[in-house]
């Protein structure tokens, strides 16, 4: 099996590991503490293996195509945040539920959107070039978006004592990946290491969702009714994201391959980068992490539809 085949079928792997985690967590309730302890180092390794695929030292490449860059930044950091805020108003007034949805829908994906762009006839070079800018922009804008939408309600539950461990989980792999990229380019022989690490994100993310499902089985049971509400919202978001890409591509006069890339950029979200922040929330807010995992599953099923719809109907 090659890596593209693995990534194309990853949704079934994640679904299987979630079911396995729920079964293990139900059979052995005491395993939750062990799973929570294993979750943080697994997330660090996952983020490192993901970030090292991002050309962090080539930020200037994103500015070579100003029209595509403008469309990407406008869609991801102006139009979609407004749409997300509107969609969230339809959710039950549960702050933990709304925070989880906002966390995951506010941030564009920086990894598998490149794969889906390639599979969907997009411009892989443009996708790779814009990825580091998307990553840095979301780290900058996410606190602003959350403050604007939640305000004092957020600061009451997510203070500095809860934020700094989650920040370390994100920043340490990010800095390590940047250092590794510099070493790879200086030595000229590290491409093999990067290629091997490219296989890691899918199995590591499967392990992460297994650990979350096993540790949060009680939260999942208590939130089944709420999950039935967020799934249609996530599906609607995917539809609106693609239509937004179509409108922006038409307005910016982008070629079809760049329009497809834009659709995959707007449709995919960075679920496991925001997971540390959801997991750092205090007791009683576990639903935030659960709805983030659910979003990744809905998104992957949505990408199966995107791979047919985007190149054949939306951007012929």
């Amino acid at each position: 099996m090659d890596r593209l085949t693995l990534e194309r079928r990853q949704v079934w792997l994640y679904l299987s590991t979630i079911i396995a985690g729920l079964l293990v967590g139900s059979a052995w309730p005491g395993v939750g503490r062990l799973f929570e302890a294993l979750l943080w180092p697994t997330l660090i390794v996952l983020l490192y293996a993901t970030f090292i695929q991002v050309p962090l030292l080539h930020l200037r490449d994103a500015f070579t195509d100003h029209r595509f860059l403008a469309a990407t930044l406008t869609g991801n950091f102006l139009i979609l945040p407004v749409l997300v805020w509107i969609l969230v108003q339809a959710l039950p007034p549960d702050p933990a539920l709304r925070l989880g949805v906002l966390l995951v829908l506010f941030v564009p994906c920086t990894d598998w959107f490149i794969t889906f762009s390639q599979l969907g006839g997009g411009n892989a070079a443009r996708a790779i070039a814009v990825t580091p800018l998307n990553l840095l922009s979301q780290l900058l804008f996410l606190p602003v978006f959350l403050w604007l939408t939640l305000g004092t309600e957020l600061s009451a539950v997510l203070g500095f004592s809860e934020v700094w461990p989650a920040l370390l989980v994100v920043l340490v792999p990010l800095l390590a990946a940047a250092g590794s990229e510099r070493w790879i380019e200086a030595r000229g022989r590290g491409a093999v290491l990067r290629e091997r690490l490219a296989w890691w994100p899918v199995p590591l993310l499967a392990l992460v969702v297994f650990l979350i499902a096993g540790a949060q089985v009680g939260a999942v049971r208590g939130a089944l009714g709420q999950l039935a509400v967020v799934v249609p919202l996530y599906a609607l978001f995917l539809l609106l994201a693609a239509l937004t890409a179509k409108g922006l591509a038409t307005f910016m006069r982008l070629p079809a391959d760049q329009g497809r890339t834009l659709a995959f950029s707007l449709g995919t979200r960075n679920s496991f980068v925001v997971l540390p922040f959801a997991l750092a929330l205090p007791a009683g807010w576990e639903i935030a992490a659960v709805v983030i995992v659910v979003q990744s599953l809905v998104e992957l099923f949505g990408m199966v539809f995107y791979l047919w719809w985007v190149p054949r109907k939306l951007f012929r």
Side-chain angles (χ1 to χ4, degrees), residues 257-274:
D257 63 334
Q258 291 189 13
R260 295 167 191 156
T261 305
L262 181 62
F264 285 106
S265 177
L266 301 190
T268 53
R269 304 286 91 187
N270 222 352
S271 55
F272 50 85
V273 168
V274 296

Side-chain angles (χ1 to χ4, degrees), residues 6-71:
L6 174 64
E7 291 174 345
R8 191 192 294 263
R9 299 175 180 174
Q10 59 188 312
V11 61
W12 304 110
L13 176 62
Y14 301 146
L15 191 58
S16 300
T17 53
I18 287 174
I19 293 173
L22 292 174
L23 291 175
V24 171
S26 299
W28 295 283
V31 80
R33 287 188 177 182
L34 174 62
F35 281 9
E36 289 177 356
L38 293 174
L39 185 56
W40 292 102
T42 306
L43 267 173
I44 291 174
V45 178
L46 167 63
L47 290 173
Y48 172 74
T50 300
F51 290 153
I52 202 173
Q53 310 303 319
V54 178
L56 297 169
L57 304 182
H58 298 274
L59 191 61
R60 288 180 297 180
D61 293 347
F63 296 90
T64 58
D65 189 330
H66 296 95
R67 285 189 301 168
F68 178 76
L69 176 63

Side-chain angles (χ1 to χ4, degrees), residues 42-124:
T42 306
L43 267 173
I44 291 174
V45 178
L46 167 63
L47 290 173
Y48 172 74
T50 300
F51 290 153
I52 202 173
Q53 310 303 319
V54 178
L56 297 169
L57 304 182
H58 298 274
L59 191 61
R60 288 180 297 180
D61 293 347
F63 296 90
T64 58
D65 189 330
H66 296 95
R67 285 189 301 168
F68 178 76
L69 176 63
T72 303
L73 294 180
T74 301
N76 277 316
F77 300 107
L78 184 59
I79 298 176
L80 286 189
V82 174
L83 288 177
V84 168
W85 180 81
I86 294 172
L87 290 175
V88 166
Q89 305 313 305
L91 290 176
D94 182 338
L97 177 72
R98 292 192 173 195
L99 176 57
V101 173
L102 290 171
L103 273 171
V104 70
L105 293 187
F106 273 154
V107 291
C109 185
T110 56
D111 57 317
W112 62 40
F113 115 82
I114 299 174
T115 300
F116 287 119
S117 295
Q118 182 178 0
L119 292 172
N123 189 316

Side-chain angles (χ1 to χ4, degrees), residues 214-261:
Q216 307 293 347
V217 61
V220 174
R221 287 174 179 168
L224 288 178
Q226 293 171 314
L227 295 182
V229 176
V230 298
V231 168
L233 183 144
Y234 290 148
L236 179 58
F237 171 83
L238 286 168
L239 175 63
L240 294 176
L243 295 177
T244 300
K246 179 64 176 179
L248 281 170
T250 302
F251 179 74
M252 297 285 186
R253 299 181 180 179
L254 299 180
D257 63 334
Q258 291 189 13
R260 295 167 191 156
T261 305

